[in-house]
Amino acid sequence: MPKTKKALKRARSTPKGRQVDPQALEDIQKLLESAPRRRDLLIEHLHKIQDRFGCLSAPHLVALAAEMKMAMAEVYEVATFYHHFDVVKDGDAPPAITVDVTNPACGDLLRVSALFQDEKVVEARFQVRGCTASIAAGSALSEWMIGKTRAELRELTPEIIDRALGGLEPASKHAAILCVDGARAIALATIASK
């Protein structure tokens, strides 16, 4: 059926793409306050959202894109490129607890997240900014945590992580200690939040 000129001129009732959630936009505006909305500050603003809300949700990313007058694809690309952001898909809940621990001697940073159900860890995630040994240890930690209780998290020793990795070099033992700090911080954060 041929389209008439009148049908071609009709505007869409809603714009294409994701719509900005008013509550998410209000959250972003309050969080950024009077900070400039320049492109070069995108990563800084993403960190603010991550720190405040514990993750980067789709509604907050859409609101940030609108507030900064950037394409959503650009904001999402930057958010997903950097490993230290927790981008949460629609309908997914972020892990209940996220903690950051650091080794002041070498500067390695471990972010550990855990979701508890029935008093046990059912999901664990990690992110590391540091050496290869710390990245491997973080991976071993997140696997070890599954099925553990809060008490078991507090009982983790560096030797458990060391064995899980097949033995760390003496210069890399700090990676296992960082994991112990992370597991204990998760356990304490859980207790504090109850």
Side-chain angles (χ1 to χ4, degrees):
M1 172 191 272
K3 294 186 178 182
T4 64
K5 283 186 177 183
K6 200 176 210 180
L8 291 175
K9 290 185 179 182
R10 267 190 253 152
R12 290 179 152 286
S13 60
T14 59
K16 285 185 174 183
R18 292 182 183 261
Q19 303 308 300
V20 178
D21 175 50
Q23 181 59 53
L25 183 60
E26 183 180 327
D27 291 344
I28 297 302
Q29 289 170 339
K30 283 182 181 176
L31 185 66
L32 299 183
E33 296 175 328
S34 62
R37 286 9 183 210
R38 298 189 325 256
R39 304 176 89 67
D40 61 320
L41 296 175
L42 175 59
I43 293 175
E44 183 177 329
H45 294 332
L46 289 169
H47 275 289
K48 287 179 183 178
I49 298 168
Q50 173 80 34
D51 293 344
R52 170 65 180 87
F53 298 101
C55 65
L56 301 177
S57 68
H60 284 135
L61 291 175
V62 172
L64 180 63
E67 188 66 16
M68 294 185 71
K69 297 178 177 36
M70 293 179 66
M72 173 58 190
E74 290 179 87
V75 173
Y76 185 80
E77 181 179 6
V78 171
T80 56
F81 179 79
Y82 292 96
H83 70 277
H84 45 265
F85 293 128
D86 295 317
V87 178
V88 178
K89 296 178 183 173
D90 286 338
D92 286 353
I97 301 165
T98 300
V99 297
D100 292 330
V101 291
T102 189
N103 179 335
C106 67
D108 288 0
L109 172 72
L110 170 66
R111 172 172 284 164
V112 184
S113 300
L115 178 63
F116 285 84
Q117 286 180 354
D118 299 324
E119 301 297 316
K120 292 187 178 185
V121 176
V122 294
E123 180 183 335
R125 301 179 191 174
F126 80 99
Q127 296 174 338
V128 173
R129 188 182 72 218
C131 67
T132 305
S134 290
I135 295 169
S139 178
L141 172 64
S142 66
E143 291 176 19
W144 177 85
M145 288 174 62
I146 302 298
K148 301 294 189 283
T149 64
R150 293 164 177 87
E152 290 171 315
L153 292 178
R154 290 190 301 273
E155 294 169 5
L156 177 65
T157 64
E159 292 75 26
I160 293 171
I161 297 297
D162 188 50
R163 276 194 308 272
L165 294 172
L168 288 164
E169 294 293 322
S172 298
K173 298 286 185 186
H174 68 279
I177 294 168
L178 189 64
C179 289
V180 170
D181 293 345
R184 289 181 181 164
I186 285 282
L188 292 174
T190 302
I191 291 168
S193 68
K194 284 193 118 191

